[in-house]
Amino acid sequence: MSSLDAPAMRVPSRAVESTDYHQNATRKVYGLLGLPVDAIDFETLIAAMDMAAAKREPFLISTLNVNFLIKSQQNVSFRDSVLSSDLCLVDGMPLIWMAKFLRVPIWERVAGSDLFGRLRARTNTRLRVFLFGGTGDLAARVGEKLNAEKGGLECVGVLNPGFGSVEKLSSSEIIDQINASGADLLAVFLNAEKAQAWLLHNHHRLTVPIRAQFGATVNFEAGTIRRAPPLLRSTGFEWLWRIKEEPYLWRRYWNDGRSLLQIFLTSVLPIAIAARLNSARSEFAVRQNHSSGRYMLVLSGAAVGESVDRLLPFANEAENEHRAVTIDLSDLNDADGRFFGLLLGLRARLAKRGLELHLAGISPRMRRIFRLNRFEFLLTGR
């Protein structure tokens, strides 16, 4: 394959518009095993949500745990829903451990349940929330509780649509009821796969700015299931508590655990060993090739750590000039999570403008690095 013949990166068919936070090229997003993850704390997260609510701009949040990681490896549409998100929170201690192992600076678990609790406990700002999903009358009970507390969340609508396909749960009546509520936050309590598919399917129809899947949070808030004590949550053994509370979950945790071990042995461990053996890396450099007639960037050296940010001014220039980008990796010899995160961010921003990002000159070494990091889909278009 010639240096200009690599396939264009596949982009989700429904590119998601975003807020200023997502459009900011300096967003600290990293690539972790095929997914983007944000190095963000609760304070910055809530500030970004408040800005999205004030501007009434779409702001899709994904809360990544082990189940998200496994499903993203198996389901392209599910992976696309995560790649289209404006923020990807790390909600799972095993992912935190793997991030540390790979020197990805994600130190704080930002769980959806904790986020909901912090929003509820605020006294200075109030967001209007629509509760969608849950079983029975759980969402209605949580809504009544929120309004009785008069805290940081005001429930302005509740709907349990029952069971059915994504299309069935996307009727005009359902979408109109959600939009008519005037909510700032749409909290979805469906299983992860259906919730992500539903949010992406209805992205352009919804007018509620902030959207997120909160999973079992509705059960915790309603009091039907007790959440694990803080010690178990911080040490990564929350899954044992969840099995105690919901025995049927054992099969999911068993299957996810086996898949996680396979990912650790075939991806995380080889990457970590290679990084420690290859401590002397050549300097990362970026130059623009004007002779090709395209907006081509030629990278050389090791695209690792903060040095990768040297790519940002060029990426911003291409985006401002409304031009597709080709990145030649012929002289690149290493890459880490920051490089993959920046690549995903540029790809997403170009896609919203109908532009493509091409990767060219993929050496066998770099192809292996992409494969180990679970980003080979960026090279194959699948």
Side-chain angles (χ1 to χ4, degrees):
M1 181 180 291
S2 72
S3 65
L4 298 181
D5 290 336
M9 291 185 179
R10 180 185 186 278
V11 295
S13 58
R14 299 179 182 89
V16 176
E17 295 99 337
S18 55
T19 66
D20 290 343
Y21 183 87
H22 187 57
Q23 291 171 349
N24 185 355
T26 61
R27 171 190 173 197
K28 286 297 182 181
V29 61
Y30 295 80
L32 178 66
L33 299 171
L35 295 176
V37 296
D38 282 271
I40 193 171
D41 55 24
F42 277 107
E43 183 179 356
T44 307
L45 166 60
I46 292 175
M49 293 174 69
D50 286 338
M51 178 180 292
K55 294 190 172 186
R56 307 298 298 178
E57 293 180 347
F59 196 63
L60 177 60
I61 300 173
S62 288
T63 53
L64 312 183
N65 54 27
V66 171
N67 191 242
F68 266 72
L69 174 63
I70 303 306
K71 287 184 182 298
S72 72
Q73 309 284 323
Q74 302 167 344
N75 185 326
V76 173
S77 296
F78 186 83
R79 183 185 70 207
D80 284 348
S81 73
V82 177
L83 296 178
S84 295
S85 300
D86 296 283
L87 266 177
C88 294
L89 314 178
V90 180
D91 180 359
M93 285 307 299
L95 297 190
I96 297 286
W97 297 336
M98 287 190 173
K100 290 181 179 180
F101 215 70
L102 297 177
R103 298 179 178 176
V104 173
I106 309 294
W107 308 109
E108 181 179 12
R109 181 189 180 194
V110 186
S113 298
D114 291 332
L115 172 60
F116 196 92
R118 288 180 182 238
L119 292 172
R120 190 194 69 208
R122 287 200 300 176
T123 57
N124 58 330
T125 306
R126 205 171 197 205
L127 291 177
R128 295 163 296 178
V129 60
F130 191 102
L131 308 179
F132 181 74
T135 57
D137 65 345
L138 289 186
R141 287 159 56 185
V142 172
E144 292 174 0
K145 178 182 175 183
L146 293 176
N147 290 341
E149 288 178 348
K150 298 188 183 301
L153 289 175
E154 175 191 358
C155 181
V156 294
V158 174
L159 178 62
N160 175 10
F163 299 99
S165 65
V166 169
E167 289 73 21
K168 181 179 178 182
L169 303 186
S170 304
S171 67
S172 297
E173 291 77 14
I174 288 176
I175 301 302
D176 289 346
Q177 182 177 342
I178 294 172
N179 289 340
S181 70
D184 304 304
L185 168 64
L186 174 59
V188 179
F189 305 116
L190 304 174
N191 70 68
E193 207 157 7
K194 180 173 286 187
Q196 292 291 118
W198 185 87
L199 285 166
L200 196 59
H201 181 78
N202 294 298
H203 179 78
H204 296 289
R205 300 173 64 199
L206 293 166
T207 59
V208 179
I210 311 166
R211 306 95 182 258
Q213 189 269 134
F214 283 94
T217 301
V218 67
N219 303 95
F220 301 145
E221 292 291 330
T224 58
I225 297 175
R226 293 180 299 163
R227 197 176 180 199
L231 179 62
L232 289 180
R233 300 204 301 265
S234 63
T235 54
F237 290 100
E238 185 174 6
W239 59 275
L240 284 174
W241 181 273
R242 289 291 304 276
I243 291 175
K244 179 186 78 70
E245 292 288 304
E246 302 171 89
Y248 68 89
L249 288 176
W250 77 266
R251 190 179 302 276
R252 191 190 92 181
Y253 284 120
W254 171 258
N255 291 332
D256 285 355
R258 289 192 305 170
S259 298
L260 189 66
L261 178 61
Q262 187 265 340
I263 290 173
F264 179 80
L265 293 176
T266 60
S267 289
V268 177
L269 197 57
I271 294 170
I273 291 173
R276 284 154 179 79
L277 292 178
N278 188 25
S279 56
R281 292 176 167 128
S282 53
E283 185 177 0
F284 178 63
V286 185
R287 65 181 177 85
Q288 188 175 353
N289 185 344
H290 296 280
S291 62
S292 65
R294 311 181 184 203
Y295 194 95
M296 174 177 281
L297 300 176
V298 180
L299 310 186
S300 60
V304 297
E306 297 302 316
S307 66
V308 178
D309 290 352
R310 296 172 188 169
L311 185 57
L312 286 172
F314 298 94
N316 291 339
E317 181 181 47
E319 187 181 355
N320 292 335
E321 293 182 4
H322 203 81
R323 299 175 67 182
V325 178
T326 296
I327 299 182
D328 188 340
L329 306 180
S330 302
D331 296 325
L332 201 67
N333 55 51
D334 204 354
D336 67 359
R338 178 55 179 155
F339 173 74
F340 289 114
L342 194 149
L343 207 61
L344 290 174
L346 175 60
R347 171 181 180 262
R349 300 199 321 271
L350 289 175
K352 284 191 286 292
R353 289 159 174 76
L355 303 172
E356 289 184 333
L357 176 63
H358 296 260
L359 296 181
I362 314 297
S363 67
R365 173 182 172 81
M366 286 307 301
R367 187 174 294 277
R368 180 174 183 272
I369 289 173
F370 272 76
R371 177 177 56 80
L372 286 176
N373 283 275
R374 305 273 168 157
F375 286 104
E376 194 170 20
F377 65 88
L378 298 179
L379 303 179
T380 63
R382 294 190 299 272

